[in-house]
Amino acid sequence: MTLIRKLGLAALALAAAPAFAATTTIDFEGATSFASVGDYYNGVAGPNWGISFTDSALALSNDELGPYFSHAPTNGTVMFAADAPTIMNVAAGFTGELSFWYSAQASELDVVTIYGGANGTGAELGSVSLSKNAQLGGCTDSGFCSWQRITLSFTGTAQSVSFGGVGNAAFDNITVNTVSAVPEPATFGMLAFGLAGLTVVARRQRRS
């Protein structure tokens, strides 16, 4: 089999494989405070990332009655898991790991769980219980003033995450590796350049 044919078959396989992922971070900036995040990241007011939340995922910003939280990674707006279940759905799916920052007022009452299906269904791919840390170290300038980062690795493709939802935890900077059905343009560009180069070499070989 010639090099050109091999590279052509590789290009076809690459086009058919949806194994590319883009790192996406949900920081909740811009979402309306005391309202559900809902479809904000599904093209409604915010970016169209194919990510949606159940109504119990409330955006929370500090106001004249606050502060409700402080020292968050992005200190403008966070997500408050107001009630169970608080679900994040990723339509295209995500792989590898989930990371997020959290501040919790009670130990092990809020559990973050990754599911293979939408809306908290399917196989459980990973889970972690949150520790009490909301005022860790003696911080007292708000109810949620101490934040920690969690990274949870898993195998397979997930479509949803349950963020506890017993009203004791806030979340920020949720990061996932979202699956993309289309390879990055740079990948196809390099492949096309290689094909063109091999074509020139083959033509020169035939003439000599």
Side-chain angles (χ1 to χ4, degrees), residues 28-37 40-41 45 58-61 77-78:
F28 304 103
E29 301 303 302
T32 303
S33 185
F34 287 101
S36 173
V37 179
Y40 182 83
Y41 292 101
L58 299 182
L60 181 65
S61 302
T77 306
V78 300

Side-chain angles (χ1 to χ4, degrees), residues 35 46 54 59 62 71 93 99 101 146 157 184 194 205:
T54 52
N62 288 319
H71 313 297
S99 72
W101 290 77
S146 178
T157 300
E184 296 179 5
Q205 289 176 344

Side-chain angles (χ1 to χ4, degrees), residues 61-82:
S61 302
N62 288 319
D63 55 28
E64 64 277 4
L65 299 178
Y68 309 108
F69 64 91
S70 55
H71 313 297
T74 51
N75 211 33
T77 306
V78 300
M79 182 191 82
F80 186 71

Side-chain angles (χ1 to χ4, degrees), residues 75-162:
N75 211 33
T77 306
V78 300
M79 182 191 82
F80 186 71
D83 197 5
T86 300
I87 304 292
M88 178 182 80
N89 285 305
V90 182
F94 62 99
T95 61
E97 65 180 32
L98 164 77
S99 72
F100 58 90
W101 290 77
Y102 81 96
S103 185
Q105 291 183 333
S107 180
E108 297 183 353
L109 290 179
D110 280 283
V111 179
V112 175
T113 305
I114 303 170
Y115 292 96
N119 299 310
T121 64
E124 184 178 311
L125 303 181
S127 182
V128 61
S129 295
L130 306 184
S131 300
K132 181 178 180 180
N133 71 337
Q135 295 186 318
L136 191 67
C139 65
T140 57
D141 54 324
S142 73
F144 296 92
C145 56
S146 178
W147 294 75
Q148 289 177 277
R149 185 174 184 264
I150 291 287
T151 298
L152 186 59
S153 298
F154 64 94
T155 301
T157 300
Q159 285 193 305
S160 63
V161 183
S162 172

